[in-house]
Amino acid sequence: MGFLRNAPRLDTLIERLESADGLDDLQGLIEELRDEYGVDHIIYHWVNGAGEQYGCGTYDLEWVNRYIEKGYLRIDPVIQGCYQRFHPVNWKRLDWSSKSARAFLEDAIAHGIGNQGYSIPIRGPNGQFALFTLSHNGNDDDWEQFTTENRRDLILMAHYFNSRALEFEPGRAPDPAQSLSPREVEAMTLLAIGYNRAQAADTLSISEHTLRVYVESARHKLGALNTTHAVARALSRGVIVI
Amino acid sequence: MIRYIYGNDLHTFPKLARTMFLDRADQFKTRLGWAVTVDDKGFERDEYDTENPLYVIWENADGSHGGSMRLLPTIGRTMVNDHFIHLTDGVRIESPLIWECTRFCLSRSATPGVAAALMLAGGEVMQEFGVEHYVGVFDARMVRIYKRIGSSPEILGQEGEGRSMIAVGLWEFTAEAQAKVSKAAGISPELSKRWFERSFGDIIDEAGLVAA
């Protein structure tokens, strides 16, 4: 179905996401991400507690305007099925049974959105809500396989886009840097000097499972994709010193 | 059967919701003596119930509650991070791949399979939504129950002795663990999948969608 690759070079993309200067940069990055995955579209859209909206993505402007003009927000099953929730959704699992939903779907397909979609809802602070969506034209089995294989990375990318976009919100006080607890620093330091998980867990007198969760928390706070990337980031930021 | 219901949809299952909050009061206040709040309707509810959690609930044949648990993403507010951080070595457990599981409750009349059915459903959520771990707070009494259904958590930290022991635990689900729990619950993987699809929708092919 034309997916370019299953494991795109997300690490360099994340680095550039980190150094993005504003919302315009996010637009450029989301286009690149779309090209990396070889899907038809990727969209990031947020609404904050005050009802302000922001989005970036690859849909045609014509469709975006039409969506607003027709008031599709009120009938779009993706919005109904994701708002205030937190699990990722394959569009095919949503309820498209109403006449208006079906008409909307036909219109969306006619505008090149594709017949497949996968949306990841994100609940941010103070009632902020965002949706990170991929859409594509293809068959059910390929789409299910693609979203399942890439789910972890897609969830992480969705959250990185959101935390970056949140920082650009006007009037928002900068987030206190996500600092690691002493225990997380110890765990990351041991991994950085080449201990394997078993050795690191043993040194810290914790189980390997516990170590995994501490490392996973540190990975999230460091905005990294995997453990190796997290160790590199912790070193480059001086969070850990070896 | 198992139902998966977000907080803002509980009103569509009034009997199930009412009996769940009553059973929670019965378990956490009456039986365990936890310092929980019970309102004038007799419901045990806390601040996390207002965060629109995802409830996983065993529904008895008469529509009442047989057992339940409550799921929340750890990137939002969680009980573990707000109140039990001293049990996790001071680590705020936070990741889109880790969810919190709390208020694991069984009604007095729950059959032995209910606890296992809930764990099986928890595994279903992990598998379908890309959740890699659950963290949660549990007490001494639950240790035996988790062990019986073959889903013992890894303990991150604990305090108190004997019956008043309280711990932060960690669950992950391997395929083998899932098979074991499925057996303990007496519920086939196919049936479990069907319940999941009843709550979250089935994949409908597009010919059906557009032509319908």
Side-chain angles (χ1 to χ4, degrees), chain B residues 93-116:
Chain B
I93 296 171
E94 222 173 58
S95 160
L97 308 175
I98 304 175
W99 289 9
E100 182 181 67
C101 175
T102 52
R103 289 294 192 262
F104 190 99
C105 170
L106 295 169
S107 84
R108 284 184 194 234
S109 60
T111 54
V114 172

Side-chain angles (χ1 to χ4, degrees), chain A residues 74 119 146 157 162 168-169 181 194:
Chain A
R74 290 192 306 276
S119 292
F146 169 79
M157 288 310 290
N162 194 55
F168 299 141
E169 192 180 12
S181 68

Side-chain angles (χ1 to χ4, degrees), chain B residues 34 79-80 83-89 136-141 143 155-169:
Chain B
W34 286 17
M79 194 184 269
V80 167
H83 300 290
F84 293 94
I85 199 159
H86 57 289
L87 296 184
T88 59
D89 275 348
V137 181
F138 65 97
D139 67 333
R141 194 193 54 120
V143 174
I155 292 178
L156 294 186
Q158 64 184 83
E159 64 186 359
E161 295 294 326
R163 284 193 50 165
S164 64
M165 186 278 282
I166 192 157
V168 172

Side-chain angles (χ1 to χ4, degrees), chain A residues 84-87 92-93 102 115 123 151-152 159 181 183 207 209-210 212-214 216-217 221, chain B residues 6 8-9 51-52 75 89 92-95 127-128 154 170 172 201-202 204 206 209 212:
Chain A
Q84 294 186 338
R85 298 183 168 194
F86 47 82
H87 69 272
K92 289 276 169 80
R93 289 192 185 273
R102 287 201 303 273
N115 61 340
R123 280 193 202 170
R151 183 173 54 204
R152 181 179 185 277
H159 284 269
S181 68
R183 210 60 170 156
S207 71
H209 291 287
T210 306
R212 272 183 61 188
V213 164
Y214 291 176
E216 171 55 23
S217 275
K221 290 164 196 166
Chain B
Y6 275 95
N8 61 359
D9 293 328
E51 297 282 316
N52 203 33
I75 51 162
D89 275 348
R92 268 189 80 80
I93 296 171
E94 222 173 58
S95 160
Q127 198 189 358
E128 295 286 338
E154 181 80 29
L170 172 75
E172 56 176 17
D202 202 350
I204 316 257
E206 80 211 55
L209 273 180

Side-chain angles (χ1 to χ4, degrees), chain B residues 192-211:
Chain B
S192 174
K193 212 44 107 189
R194 208 147 68 229
W195 288 338
F196 184 88
E197 286 174 350
R198 261 179 96 144
S199 289
F200 291 112
D202 202 350
I203 300 215
I204 316 257
D205 77 73
E206 80 211 55
L209 273 180
V210 176

